[in-house]
Amino acid sequence: MQDFEYTAPTSLEGVIGLLSETWGETEIYAGGTDLVTCLKQGLTAPRRVVSLRNVKELKGITILDDSIEIGAATTLTTLLGNAELAKHATALIQAIEGINSKQMINVGTLGGDLCQRPRCWFYRNGYGLFGIEDGKSLIEDGDNRYHAIFGNDGPAKFVSASSTGPALIALGASLIVSGPEGERTIAAWDFFQTPQSESDRETALKSNEVLTKIIIPKNETQSATYEIRHRAGLDWPYVTASVAIGKEGTKVVLGHVAPTPWVSDAAGKALNGRVKKADAEKAGEVAAEGATPLSQNAYKVAMVKTAVKRAVLRATGQEEEA
Amino acid sequence: MASPQWPKADKRLHIGKPYDRLDGPIKSTGQAKYAYDVNVPGMLYAKVFPSRYALADVNSIDTSAAEAMDGVKAVWIDEGVLGKEVRYVGQIIAAVAAETEELAAEAIALVKVDYTPKEALIIDTDPSLGSGRPSEREEGTPAEAFEAADVVHEGYYGIPVITHCCFEAHGQVCDVNEAGAQFWPSTQNVSKYANGMGESLGVPESEIKVDCQVMGGGFGSKFGHDKWGVVGGLLSKKAGRPVKLMLERDLELMVGGNRPSAYGTVKVGADKDGNVTAIDAKLFGTGGNGGYRPPPVPYVFTKIPNQLSSGQRIQTNRGGQRAWRAPGHPQGCFITMAAMEDTAAKLGMDALDFFKQNLALTNRPELYAQELDIAADMIGYKEKAHLRGDSGDGPVKRGLGISIHQWGGAGHPSECDVSIHADGSVECRIGTQDLGVGTRTCVTMVLAETMGLPMDAVKANIGNNAYPISGASGGSTTIGGVSSSTRLAATAALNKLLDVVAARMGEDALSLEASNGRIQVTGDDSKSVTWNEACAMLGTNSINERGVNEPGESTKMGLMDSGVGGCQMADVSVDIETGVVTINEMVAVQDCGLIIDMKTATTQVHGGLIMGVTYALFEECVYDNRTGRMLNADMEFYRLAGLKDIGTLKVHMMTGPGFDERGVIGLGEPPVISPGAAISNAVANAIGLRVPELPLTPDRVLNAIAKGGQS
């Protein structure tokens, strides 16, 4: 690990001023649960690390009439304790609960969860975002059991690691990012991108921008997240589904199945407000349609069906005993 | 006079009682100094350079940039691979020692190795890639027996390579100079750690001091000083400074040892009443670049009259295998018990009835029958059992599974010195080690028991190679070895004291005993002196006696024995829509002769169950076939069970008449053998089909369901 300059400015302006226009020169340090790992794994070797710890304006929850604003550097534990979020953003709270590690959520932040790098084991072992060795994909012929079953026709085969992304998309959240040119608002859905080249990133964030705020509309929405996870403690899910059922329609968003959170418009339409068990099952079937599993992950298609069905039932208080 | 035989139940002061580990408090409060925690003045930090390729010629190794770095104090190159091959990713090619850990890592990043990569063999699931001829064995007339069988089951089973995953990685701190050397390793073998090191280090072996007071797990992977022991020593000698060299997690998982895989097809023949008549096992597996011995199949049911088996070794370009807690047994047990349970299912028989029906094919039918009944009661078998797959409508299916296992566990050769001092203090010195299982506590109990003193009146000194030689802790040999040598030494020392006291009291030494802090005429405390008064009679002398455990002799004397059997049952739930297996309960019934410390014995079984749940549900080494790199060489995707994953664990130790008089028998291996088999059988019972390979991950369960089982 090469030496780097560590700074902890006290204002957002200060943070932005310290960020580089080139990826890799500077890194933002929020909770550090991913950054520290990336540093150790040699995935990044910045010359400067900019901590958000002293930037008060990036922390806290503000309840407005029609929305809830969350500072990007607010810890996940803080969100868990908020009654308004429990009411208006159940899917988000359940996604955080799914992380299942006090240590992680005590330091991990909402912004950090959205910006973390993929956990693809080829990437983490030094074979790049696309897992290439000698010009050939290690992922296609290799052990791809945890990889994408949707959106995997390009070079990116990893799955988005964000726990909260699918829930925020389902809830219709928008994100505010700030950079030298000022502020811009991005729909949660547009924030996630599938890289087409090794130099692309997994989010719309630029290297000199910082995610500042997450805004969740206060809709009359029933929402839930269902995770399929192996270990009871800290573990990555195999597949997740977040659903939000509101007046404007039903949103179904899958996690850990594609290089981004994966919106299933068809499943949302299939439900269209109907939430009987048979409807939930149908939505699961529809959500799984069009999957393009790799050599070792067809089982994830069955998991999508289950996760969507159970998320719908959970959102509407019909959870099966499991 | 005191006799070395173990006291009868009504005479026991400590033995058999549930005592906490003596070193529990220092461990749980962080005061214990593991090898990793040893920091000595002037110490340097070493890092190693691992091979990037699974098979390659090493053309050159250039460490000049590392050597030129400020703060780098010594560099080592493996001359043995220069111009030759490296044979697995992670093979150590070079090392540096520097002022800080960070500098050492930076220096390693500057090492340049020129390789010519070659095509390597990584996968272990294709028997046609095996090397050499398979081993073969035949008993009876299997072909005829299968012909005559009413039912023949044939199935495929597999258990992948896993690692020891010691929480404390391999490594050591050492200080080596011309005159001698001091090592603080994490080892299972204090007395003989330094054997074979002297020549490499240029230090007489008699001058190599080894100390290991506590260590963080070995499971069979820490018997030797290893390459990194020699490399650390050479770096230290070169730099003239102490050096800390501990493997990092990725190398720990790749080169610190692993458990061989075992795959293959098994055919079982039985008559319509459920009597097994024949078995045929065609197995293969890998020990990486190390040796491989096919697991014993049939396991426990060794008297199946007609048998055929073969074992094919696949030598892969991966780190080498090492003894993993009960080498070969968990694999042999899983394959045998799964095939047995599948046969029962094919016959439509209850698994417990089927196992009991065939106990005559084992070496200890009565013991297993007794244990199966106890386990069945503990888990509520009668109320919960159902035939395979007969488990209701909902997505969550519940099932029970059974397995039985065996082990030897005879004590190893061990020597112990016991001293009684005139001030009343008592100590022993024994070159054994405590792997965390309670060896220190048990030695202390035996010493205190023999002297008739409370635990805090005696002290056990262990973990140093200056003490009398005691065996390596492997194969469940420690407790029988150290309890016998300690008992023999303590008895001899006590008898010396009784001689002195007898002369002063005018009594016959033969009539004296040590009891409850006094030396007295046996059974009569009116004729007695206190322990301290007795010891004061030594004047300026001390008593020093050595006890030598010679296993054959001690077995004849009834101090120790060999040969245990155990039974485990698992109660699991399987969500067939997610593939997630949840352990509700595990029950273990185990004999191990005379139990010294009931608590550490029970927790040893708990530990075995937890490790067993872990390999049954989570553990596997995932290798990339092209690069030979272990993809999950971390604690993120090399998953271990957490507390919430293990369910309720219930343990019953077989003690009392019939068991105690056998003497002490080891317990390290037995409890870890059955969990994979019991859990796999429970899953099959729950979902109605066999998931053929461990670990029982959601993907494997869903894939098996999608395929509709194997037969």
Side-chain angles (χ1 to χ4, degrees):
Chain A
M1 195 188 303
Q2 77 174 36
D3 289 351
F4 54 79
E5 172 191 314
Y6 172 83
T7 61
T10 53
S11 70
L12 178 59
E13 226 178 5
V15 171
I16 292 164
L18 288 163
L19 295 177
S20 166
E21 283 180 21
T22 310
W23 281 114
E25 289 195 339
T26 57
E27 293 284 357
I28 295 172
Y29 178 22
T33 61
D34 188 29
L35 179 63
V36 173
T37 316
C38 287
L39 289 167
K40 283 185 174 175
Q41 291 172 330
L43 297 178
T44 180
R47 52 178 182 76
R48 179 187 293 147
V49 168
V50 185
S51 170
L52 303 183
R53 63 177 301 147
N54 295 331
V55 189
K56 289 208 179 68
E57 61 201 283
L58 291 180
K59 295 178 187 179
I61 304 166
T62 311
I63 311 294
L64 304 172
D65 285 346
D66 55 358
S67 67
I68 302 171
E69 289 189 3
I70 303 167
T74 309
T75 66
L76 297 168
T77 297
T78 309
L79 305 189
L80 271 192
N82 189 284
E84 290 289 313
L85 284 173
K87 187 176 164 198
H88 295 286
T90 318
L92 174 65
I93 295 302
Q94 289 171 350
I96 297 168
E97 284 168 350
I99 296 169
N100 243 6
S101 159
K102 296 275 180 216
Q103 291 91 335
M104 284 295 190
I105 65 172
N106 281 347
V107 294
T109 65
L110 184 58
D113 177 77
L114 295 168
C115 296
Q116 66 184 307
R117 309 302 309 272
R119 308 306 299 192
C120 164
W121 49 25
F122 293 97
Y123 173 54
R124 296 281 168 169
N125 275 301
Y127 299 106
L129 205 47
F130 302 150
I132 304 284
E133 171 90 333
D134 300 332
K136 269 189 75 182
S137 166
L138 294 173
I139 301 172
E140 275 175 42
D141 306 325
D143 200 308
N144 49 40
R145 70 181 79 179
Y146 300 131
H147 286 78
I149 58 167
F150 288 106
N152 55 5
D153 49 342
K157 315 282 184 203
F158 60 82
V159 296
S160 166
S162 174
S163 293
T164 60
L168 289 172
I169 293 169
L171 292 165
S174 43
L175 313 181
I176 312 287
V177 302
S178 290
E181 264 104 75
E183 221 174 65
R184 55 193 184 111
T185 303
I186 310 173
W189 165 239
D190 290 325
F191 184 70
F192 294 97
Q193 302 177 345
T194 301
Q196 299 303 323
S197 79
E198 283 277 356
S199 58
D200 286 353
R201 285 287 172 131
E202 309 87 66
T203 69
L205 205 63
K206 294 179 187 148
S207 65
N208 57 359
E209 287 181 326
V210 59
L211 175 60
T212 59
K213 230 180 265 177
I214 295 92
I215 300 171
I216 301 171
K218 272 166 109 179
N219 292 331
E220 292 301 316
T221 301
Q222 286 179 300
S223 71
T225 295
Y226 188 90
E227 272 196 24
I228 298 176
R229 188 179 57 238
H230 195 192
R231 288 202 317 183
L234 176 67
D235 202 357
W236 295 103
Y238 279 83
V239 164
T240 74
S242 293
V243 300
I245 304 162
K247 283 187 192 122
E248 301 83 41
T250 301
K251 274 253 180 210
V252 176
V253 187
L254 305 172
H256 286 81
V257 297
T260 64
W262 190 257
V263 177
S264 176
D265 286 329
K269 279 198 194 105
L271 278 167
N272 197 21
R274 291 185 302 269
V275 293
K276 293 212 174 100
K277 193 177 169 197
D279 304 317
E281 257 165 33
K282 177 75 185 154
E285 301 279 340
V286 171
E289 278 170 16
T292 51
L294 303 170
S295 58
Q296 293 187 16
N297 62 8
Y299 72 91
K300 276 191 165 190
V301 179
M303 285 185 170
V304 166
K305 297 177 189 173
T306 304
V308 170
K309 177 183 81 173
R310 292 187 183 181
V312 172
L313 295 177
R314 194 175 193 192
T316 51
Q318 308 176 78
E319 202 163 0
E320 290 172 321
E321 192 190 330
Chain B
M1 275 314 236
S3 140
Q5 267 80 23
W6 298 115
K8 296 264 184 299
D10 59 344
K11 290 280 189 188
R12 290 176 203 148
L13 181 60
H14 303 297
I15 286 177
K17 296 198 171 133
Y19 282 9
D20 290 344
R21 283 167 174 74
L22 294 175
D23 48 16
I26 61 160
K27 287 183 173 176
S28 50
T29 54
Q31 297 172 72
K33 297 282 180 224
Y34 292 82
Y36 230 121
D37 302 319
V38 171
N39 292 304
V40 290
M43 188 179 77
L44 303 171
Y45 295 83
K47 293 278 178 199
V48 299
F49 181 94
S51 169
R52 177 185 157 76
Y53 292 101
L55 187 63
D57 286 329
V58 176
N59 306 319
S60 67
I61 306 169
D62 178 4
T63 56
S64 55
E67 270 169 278
M69 234 180 88
D70 271 354
V72 171
K73 298 296 175 189
V75 173
W76 171 87
I77 289 174
D78 187 350
E79 302 287 351
V81 298
L82 197 52
K84 299 207 181 80
E85 280 178 350
V86 280
R87 293 188 181 153
Y88 52 94
V89 173
Q91 186 171 340
I92 295 169
I93 295 176
V96 304
E99 294 285 356
T100 68
E101 202 174 345
E102 292 75 16
L103 280 174
E106 273 182 54
I108 282 296
L110 298 177
V111 174
K112 298 263 180 299
V113 175
D114 180 47
Y115 308 86
T116 307
K118 302 180 187 175
E119 188 154 348
L121 179 62
I122 306 300
I123 57 163
D124 62 346
T125 48
D126 182 354
S128 72
L129 300 175
S131 42
R133 282 158 51 124
S135 63
E136 283 174 4
R137 199 173 56 81
E138 183 168 354
E139 273 177 41
T141 50
E144 288 88 335
F146 279 115
E147 190 70 29
D150 295 321
V151 169
V152 175
H153 158 76
E154 189 165 358
Y156 168 83
Y157 306 93
I159 181 165
V161 172
I162 66 168
T163 81
H164 303 70
C165 202
C166 305
F167 273 4
E168 181 184 38
H170 287 68
Q172 73 288 319
V173 175
C174 65
D175 189 1
V176 179
N177 50 59
E178 300 292 340
Q182 172 74 55
F183 277 79
W184 295 273
S186 178
T187 183
Q188 296 177 239
N189 194 3
V190 164
S191 286
K192 294 180 179 167
Y193 173 85
N195 285 18
M197 228 180 182
E199 200 178 331
S200 329
L201 296 182
V203 176
E205 256 163 48
S206 58
E207 301 303 323
I208 302 176
K209 300 187 176 95
V210 177
D211 190 81
C212 173
Q213 291 303 311
V214 292
M215 61 92 76
F219 312 108
S221 69
K222 290 181 178 168
F223 291 129
H225 48 258
D226 281 312
K227 187 171 185 175
W228 41 87
V230 173
V231 171
L234 290 173
L235 288 170
S236 169
K237 194 173 172 185
K238 204 164 178 183
R241 307 256 298 264
V243 167
K244 178 182 283 190
L245 198 175
M246 304 296 293
L247 296 188
E248 295 195 38
R249 184 54 55 183
D250 57 349
L251 280 194
E252 175 68 16
L253 289 172
M254 287 192 283
V255 309
N258 62 60
R259 184 176 87 178
S261 57
Y263 305 92
T265 52
V266 180
K267 203 161 85 169
V268 178
D271 68 22
K272 59 182 183 325
D273 299 325
N275 298 300
V276 174
T277 54
I279 187 163
D280 177 1
K282 290 185 177 57
L283 305 177
F284 60 95
T286 188
N289 67 81
Y292 169 77
R293 203 170 46 175
V297 174
Y299 183 69
V300 179
F301 293 98
T302 48
K303 295 181 176 171
I304 294 175
N306 303 290
Q307 302 183 14
L308 204 58
S309 69
S310 68
Q312 174 67 61
R313 168 186 180 225
I314 303 173
Q315 181 162 355
T316 53
N317 294 107
R318 293 158 48 160
Q321 66 102 13
R322 293 181 176 197
W324 190 103
R325 215 171 168 182
H329 285 230
Q331 300 98 312
C333 183
F334 162 66
I335 290 171
T336 303
M337 302 301 154
M340 290 288 280
E341 205 267 355
D342 284 346
T343 308
K346 192 155 185 178
L347 282 157
M349 265 182 90
D350 171 77
L352 180 56
D353 289 344
F354 181 80
F355 273 70
K356 284 171 100 169
Q357 173 104 3
N358 286 289
L359 288 181
L361 302 174
T362 72
N363 286 319
R364 302 179 73 194
E366 283 161 26
L367 173 76
Y368 288 124
Q370 210 182 341
E371 290 181 337
L372 282 165
D373 285 342
I374 293 170
D377 274 351
M378 286 167 75
I379 209 161
Y381 193 89
K382 231 182 250 172
E383 302 78 54
K384 291 181 196 158
H386 57 74
L387 290 178
R388 177 183 283 197
D390 187 10
S391 39
D393 291 335
V396 178
K397 312 289 189 191
R398 197 160 172 175
L400 295 180
I402 304 169
S403 173
I404 56 178
H405 57 261
Q406 63 187 26
W407 189 251
H412 52 42
S414 170
E415 299 184 14
C416 175
D417 282 354
V418 166
S419 299
I420 301 173
H421 300 287
D423 65 352
S425 60
V426 177
E427 56 167 333
C428 73
R429 293 170 300 282
I430 176 168
T432 188
Q433 49 280 320
D434 192 333
L435 274 52
V437 299
T439 305
R440 177 181 274 109
T441 308
C442 290
V443 168
T444 308
M445 288 175 78
V446 170
L447 187 56
E449 176 81 42
T450 309
M451 302 300 178
L453 292 171
M455 289 285 281
D456 58 6
V458 305
K459 180 160 174 40
N461 298 292
I462 68 168
N464 195 296
N465 73 339
Y467 301 150
I469 293 172
S470 198
S473 289
S476 306
T477 58
T478 304
I479 188 64
V482 301
S483 60
S484 297
S485 64
T486 304
R487 178 71 174 174
L488 289 164
T491 308
L494 174 62
N495 283 336
K496 282 276 159 77
L497 181 66
L498 296 185
D499 284 340
V500 173
V501 176
R504 286 283 192 97
M505 284 174 72
E507 298 285 347
D508 184 349
L510 288 173
S511 72
L512 295 184
E513 66 172 357
S515 176
N516 287 318
R518 305 185 79 83
I519 303 295
Q520 62 184 33
V521 171
T522 302
D524 181 2
D525 66 0
S526 71
K527 291 181 186 169
S528 70
V529 294
T530 66
W531 178 266
N532 279 1
E533 287 165 351
C535 293
M537 295 173 191
L538 295 171
T540 56
N541 294 322
S542 287
I543 293 169
N544 299 290
E545 289 294 318
R546 175 159 296 189
V548 178
N549 179 43
E550 196 287 297
E553 282 302 308
S554 294
T555 305
K556 270 188 230 156
M557 287 170 69
L559 286 176
M560 50 172 266
D561 201 0
S562 164
V564 300
C567 157
Q568 295 187 2
M569 293 193 189
D571 171 354
V572 307
S573 292
V574 187
D575 187 331
I576 58 165
E577 292 182 356
T578 62
V580 173
V581 176
T582 308
I583 308 292
N584 302 314
E585 188 168 296
M586 292 286 293
V587 164
V589 182
Q590 184 66 48
D591 82 315
C592 66
L594 176 70
I595 290 170
I596 301 290
D597 181 349
M598 184 55 75
K599 186 167 192 176
T600 56
T602 308
T603 56
Q604 177 77 291
V605 180
H606 281 137
L609 288 171
I610 293 167
M611 204 166 182
V613 169
T614 296
Y615 77 72
L617 295 190
F618 301 109
E619 279 182 279
E620 63 184 305
C621 297
V622 180
Y623 271 82
D624 178 57
N625 287 345
R626 270 178 58 200
T627 60
R629 168 106 197 157
M630 182 173 165
L631 293 172
N632 62 339
D634 53 49
M635 300 297 282
E636 184 176 340
F637 290 108
Y638 192 89
R639 295 181 171 89
L640 301 182
L643 270 182
K644 281 185 175 174
D645 297 308
I646 59 179
T648 303
L649 307 179
K650 287 187 187 160
V651 175
H652 176 86
M653 303 304 295
M654 304 293 282
T655 55
F659 297 98
D660 290 8
E661 58 266 35
R662 298 184 65 199
V664 178
I665 314 176
L667 182 61
E669 338 286 308
V672 84
I673 298 169
S674 268
I679 292 167
S680 177
N681 283 345
V683 168
N685 181 247
I687 67 175
L689 52 88
R690 174 70 55 184
V691 181
E693 289 183 5
L694 297 185
L696 296 157
T697 52
D699 45 318
R700 283 195 181 80
V701 173
L702 289 180
N703 287 338
I705 291 171
K707 273 190 183 166
Q710 55 173 259
S711 54

